[in-house]
């Protein structure tokens, strides 16, 4: 009976796809073609609105961009690169977010702004205010890099420093009878402190203050260059705020006061007769991804989000990203097998995750190097903990000065709820068969001494493996690695001084290093190949309509009628998520996520 209902569900899914969703896709496709046919006005002012949110990399599912929502750092960087040489693009306007943005993203965009400005075209930033929340100083740094920085007349400039808030649940857990049982390696692996403490430990406070100071000082220094001021003077002016727009102008912190429409009018006038505002999404859809040219290719392998085992199994209409080990390793192996690919740039933006998944990806990196294809890691917002594990043995590592990296450590454990539930009249019991470790992760009892000893040994073993990976990849002794490890988070600038990073920069610098390591002349043109390849619409829809074999077969059958070759791949792309209870995690704090 169950199989019967699954089959009916599959047929229903196929019919929905054929009669409802497929026409929608065709309409969207026609609309996109019409947009492409319209082209780009001969005189355009390209407008980039950062207020709608920002990811590091563009999603691979085909529905994420519907409705024009969301931007990615890499898409902006590569599209601005194309706009530099596009005679139709006469100027660029950047709309800044009011809240703080990721420091590493701001750094990468600042570098792209500097390259665009060197082309001689005007690039202007506009702000409707900067609140003293999070990393607003990074947003100001980006705005300061533009040729002009405008601010609305009623706005305030409140980029007075860098701050974060953290919750500590130790007292609450004590009050309600929840017992956190965790192991961490070592004192700087602060992810568990949220559950076990009521305040910063000395090690936690020390590490947090150090990386925050590094990011703040780097942001001030970069903003000072953009504003053509001495860093101490700029810092004093910002910290004396918040300032009204007029006060900020008098202090030299901004250039002009006016609403966004006034900036648009100014740029349109500079662009010439009949100039038009061109939305970033429209321009990006016309020019497409940066393809490059030449006989040799550089592979760009993307990875953003938590690192998990298996394959991606996410709602293609929803948000969220992950680095699925099977998918990411397969992407690297595909790049290895491509004869045109001479080197791989592995873009990593991850706070970590599963050590097993991290090791699977690192094995693929080793395979690429063994095939004489150098791998250069380009770090985004984070490449910490498991994110550093998968990076450690790369041929070279490039990071932004404000990338959060390191966090070489491990933690794991469980919560015990028996006392908490008993207070509400709920009794939890369990039955286990097998060895004494079989019920180690039961949540109705603490670890026994033997279980604690075994689990602690597992934590030690994973930490030792992590040290070995870093020691091998960075040509350091295990003692040297342990000294800078112990779970501590570093910024890219700090990590470079410690030998954990080779170079400061973004994707462009990583590509340049990859060409160098592959023996390609620095001025030679190269093509860019991206892995993993984006999902087809049929592949994505198969995940929405069901995961049964019968449903997949129905979709394939309907797809065969439409003669769409993508539909034939559906059956092989049915995903299953594998979640591990308890165990170890190489995961870092995400204080500025």
């Amino acid at each position: 009976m169950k199989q019967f209902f699954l089959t009916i569900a599959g047929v229903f899914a196929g019919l929905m796809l054929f009669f409802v969703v497929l026409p929608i896709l065709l309409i969207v496709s026609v609309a996109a073609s019409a947009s492409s046919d319209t082209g780009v006005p001969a005189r355009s002012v390209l407008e980039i609105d950062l207020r709608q949110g920002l990811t590091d990399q563009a999603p691979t599912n085909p529905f994420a961009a519907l409705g024009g929502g969301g931007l990615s750092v890499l898409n902006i960087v590569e599209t601005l690169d194309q706009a530099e040489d596009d005679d139709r693009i006469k100027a660029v306007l950047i709309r800044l977010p009011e809240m703080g943005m990721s420091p590493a993203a701001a750094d990468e965009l600042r570098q792209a702004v500097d390259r665009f400005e060197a082309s001689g075209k005007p690039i202007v930033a506009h702000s409707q205010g900067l609140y003293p929340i999070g990393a607003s100083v990074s947003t100001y740094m980006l705005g300061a890099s533009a040729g002009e920085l405008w601010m609305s007349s009623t706005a305030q400039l409140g980029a007075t420093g860098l701050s974060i808030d953290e919750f500590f649940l130790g007292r609450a857990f004590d009050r309600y009878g929840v017992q956190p049982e965790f192991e961490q390696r070592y004192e700087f692996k602060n992810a568990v402190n949220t559950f076990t403490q009521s305040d910063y430990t000395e090690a936690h406070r020390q590490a947090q203050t150090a990386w925050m100071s590094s990011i703040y000082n780097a942001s001030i220094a970069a903003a000072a260059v953009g504003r053509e001021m001495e860093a101490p003077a700029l810092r004093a002016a910002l910290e004396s705020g918040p300032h009204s727009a007029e006060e900020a102008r008098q202090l030299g912190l901004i250039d002009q006061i006016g609403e966004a429409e006034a900036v648009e009018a100014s740029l349109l006038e500079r662009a010439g007769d009949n100039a038009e505002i061109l939305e970033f999404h429209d321009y990006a859809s016309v020019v497409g991804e940066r393809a490059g040219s030449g006989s040799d290719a550089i592979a760009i392998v993307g990875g953003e989000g938590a690192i998990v085992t298996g394959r991606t199994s996410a709602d293609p209409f929803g948000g969220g990203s992950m680095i699925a080990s099977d998918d990411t390793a397969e992407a690297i192996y595909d790049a290895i097998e491509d004869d045109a690919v001479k080197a791989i740039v592995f873009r990593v933006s991850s706070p970590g995750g599963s050590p097993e998944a991290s090791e699977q990806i690192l094995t693929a990196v080793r395979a690429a190097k063994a095939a004489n294809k150098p791998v250069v890691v380009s770090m985004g917002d984070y490449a910490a903990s498991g994110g550093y594990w998968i990076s450690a043995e790369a041929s070279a590592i490039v990071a932004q000065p404000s990338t959060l990296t390191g966090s070489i450590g491990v933690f794991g454990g469980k919560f015990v709820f028996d006392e908490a539930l008993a207070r509400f009249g709920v009794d939890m019991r369990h039955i286990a068969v097998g060895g004494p470790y079989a019920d180690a992760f039961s949540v109705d009892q603490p670890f026994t001494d033997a279980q604690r000893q075994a689990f602690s040994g597992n934590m030690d073993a994973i930490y030792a493996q992590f040290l070995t990976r870093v020691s091998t990849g960075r040509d350091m002794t295990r003692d040297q690695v342990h000294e800078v490890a112990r779970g501590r988070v570093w910024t890219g600038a700090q990590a470079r001084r410690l030998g954990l990073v080779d170079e400061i920069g973004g994707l462009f610098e990583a590509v340049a290093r990859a060409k160098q390591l592959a023996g390609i002349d620095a001025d030679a043109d190269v093509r860019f190949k991206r892995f993993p390849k984006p999902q087809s619409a049929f592949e994505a829809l198969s995940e929405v309509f069901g995961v049964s074999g019968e449903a997949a077969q129905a979709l394939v059958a309907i797809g065969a009628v439409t003669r769409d070759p993508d539909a034939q791949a559906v059956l092989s792309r049915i995903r299953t998520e594998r979640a591990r209870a308890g165990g170890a995690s190489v995961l870092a704090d995400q204080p500025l996520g």
Side-chain angles (χ1 to χ4, degrees):
M1 183 63 69
K2 177 181 178 182
Q3 290 299 110
F4 171 78
F5 283 116
L6 287 175
T7 301
I8 293 299
V11 172
F12 176 74
L15 292 173
M16 284 289 293
L17 175 63
F18 186 69
F19 290 109
V20 179
V21 181
L22 185 59
I24 293 175
L25 291 178
L26 291 174
I27 292 170
V28 171
S29 176
V30 170
S33 298
S35 175
S36 297
D37 291 340
T38 302
V40 177
R43 296 179 180 275
S44 298
V45 174
L46 183 62
E47 184 165 322
I48 306 173
D49 191 345
L50 299 180
R51 298 171 302 170
Q52 59 190 279
L54 198 61
T55 60
D56 184 71
Q57 300 160 38
T60 57
N61 83 68
F63 300 105
L66 292 181
L71 295 171
S72 77
V73 171
L74 294 192
N75 188 216
I76 294 173
V77 166
E78 295 198 331
T79 302
L80 273 180
D81 178 61
Q82 297 182 78
E84 289 177 32
D85 301 319
D86 191 334
D87 292 336
R88 300 168 296 180
I89 303 300
K90 303 300 182 182
V92 170
L93 169 60
I94 298 177
R95 303 289 302 277
L96 298 173
E98 288 95 76
M99 303 293 187
M101 64 187 300
S102 161
D107 271 325
E108 190 117 19
L109 294 180
R110 170 180 58 83
Q111 293 154 8
V113 166
D114 290 343
R115 287 190 295 269
F116 184 88
E117 197 169 24
S119 70
K121 300 178 183 180
I123 184 164
V124 177
H126 182 269
S127 172
Q128 291 178 296
L130 287 174
Y131 302 129
I133 299 173
S136 60
V137 67
S138 298
T139 308
Y140 177 75
M141 173 195 68
L142 174 59
S145 67
E148 296 176 20
L149 176 55
W150 290 54
M151 181 166 278
S152 295
S153 58
T154 58
Q156 281 198 333
L157 176 54
T160 57
L162 178 62
S163 67
I164 62 171
D165 296 313
E166 292 198 52
F167 287 100
F168 293 94
L169 302 174
R171 288 196 306 120
F173 283 174
D174 286 343
R175 178 179 179 182
Y176 293 106
V178 178
Q179 183 178 344
E181 294 237 314
F182 285 89
E183 293 270 341
Q184 61 198 98
R185 299 293 183 273
Y186 276 94
E187 70 271 27
F188 294 108
K189 196 66 177 177
N190 299 313
V192 304
N193 290 2
T194 292
F195 312 127
T196 62
Q197 306 295 324
S198 60
D199 197 355
Y200 290 104
T201 64
E202 182 57 36
H204 195 172
R205 186 180 298 278
Q206 175 188 338
Q208 203 92 324
T209 302
W211 67 252
M212 289 177 65
S213 298
S214 177
I215 287 176
Y216 184 57
N217 292 336
S219 297
I220 292 293
V225 172
R227 296 304 301 167
E228 298 182 349
M229 297 174 65
E230 294 295 324
L234 176 66
R235 179 171 184 160
L238 287 173
E239 291 181 356
S240 65
H243 299 295
S244 67
E246 179 57 33
E247 290 170 342
R249 190 187 65 79
Q250 292 177 5
L251 289 168
L253 299 175
I254 64 171
D255 297 294
Q256 301 267 16
I257 298 175
E259 302 307 314
E261 291 76 12
V263 187
E264 290 175 342
S266 173
L267 288 175
L268 288 171
E269 183 178 354
R270 284 182 257 181
D273 293 340
N274 300 316
E276 298 180 34
I277 297 294
L278 178 63
E279 296 294 333
F280 177 83
H281 285 291
D282 294 335
Y283 180 65
S285 66
V286 171
V287 299
E289 292 181 320
R290 185 175 59 138
S293 60
S295 58
D296 294 331
I298 301 291
I300 309 293
V301 176
E304 180 175 10
I307 302 172
V308 298
T309 58
R311 293 189 178 275
T312 303
S313 181
D315 176 2
F317 295 103
S321 299
M322 66 179 65
I323 301 177
S325 60
D326 285 6
D327 291 339
T328 305
E330 181 180 342
I332 295 173
Y333 286 121
D334 286 345
I336 293 171
E337 293 170 4
D338 190 323
D339 292 336
V341 170
K342 305 303 179 186
I344 298 170
V345 171
F346 185 16
R347 177 70 174 202
V348 178
S349 187
S350 171
S354 160
E356 292 80 10
S358 300
E359 183 67 10
Q360 181 182 357
I361 296 168
L362 179 59
T363 301
V365 171
R366 293 190 191 114
K369 293 171 61 181
N372 295 317
K373 297 193 177 186
V375 179
V376 178
V377 165
S378 170
M379 293 181 168
D381 292 339
Y382 305 93
S385 206
Y388 194 80
W389 187 308
I390 64 178
S391 307
E393 296 186 31
S395 309
I397 299 175
V398 179
Q400 293 295 350
S402 50
T403 295
L404 296 182
T405 188
S407 192
I408 301 166
V410 61
F411 76 91
K414 67 176 181 178
F415 296 101
V416 180
F417 293 107
D418 60 333
E419 181 183 341
L421 294 174
R423 296 181 183 184
F424 296 93
V426 177
D427 296 308
M428 178 180 285
R429 302 290 185 265
H430 76 273
I431 296 175
V433 296
Y437 201 71
D439 61 351
F441 289 95
S442 294
V443 296
D444 66 336
Q445 65 179 25
F447 289 120
T448 66
D449 290 343
Q451 289 169 346
R452 171 73 72 175
Q453 183 177 358
F455 184 61
S456 179
N458 183 42
M459 295 293 99
D460 290 335
I462 295 174
Y463 181 69
Q465 290 169 351
F466 205 161
L467 294 186
T468 298
R469 306 301 181 265
V470 180
S471 174
T472 300
R474 303 307 303 169
D475 194 24
M476 300 166 67
T477 68
R478 282 169 56 91
D479 287 342
Q480 288 174 322
V481 177
H482 176 65
E483 190 60 31
V484 299
R486 293 149 56 198
R488 182 161 181 168
V489 174
W490 305 99
T491 63
Q494 294 169 326
R496 186 185 183 190
R497 292 193 294 270
L498 296 170
L500 299 177
V501 162
D502 296 295
E503 185 178 341
I504 296 298
L507 182 66
F508 274 61
E509 288 73 21
V511 168
R513 176 62 72 95
K515 290 171 67 176
Q516 176 191 13
L517 293 173
I520 301 172
D521 188 81
D523 297 325
D525 292 329
V526 294
R527 289 179 291 132
F528 298 100
K529 291 192 169 187
R530 289 165 174 81
F531 302 86
K533 292 180 173 59
Q535 277 186 314
S536 73
F538 276 105
E539 291 170 332
L541 284 169
S542 71
E543 296 175 357
V544 177
F545 286 119
V547 297
S548 73
E550 289 78 6
Q553 293 279 15
L555 292 178
V556 171
I558 294 298
V561 173
T562 68
R563 303 297 187 194
D564 190 322
D566 286 336
Q568 311 308 317
V570 173
L571 186 58
S572 64
R573 295 299 298 268
I574 297 301
R575 313 287 202 221
T576 56
E577 268 190 72
R578 288 182 289 171
R580 263 189 329 111
S585 293
V586 279
L587 189 68
D589 287 342
Q590 301 182 61
L592 293 176

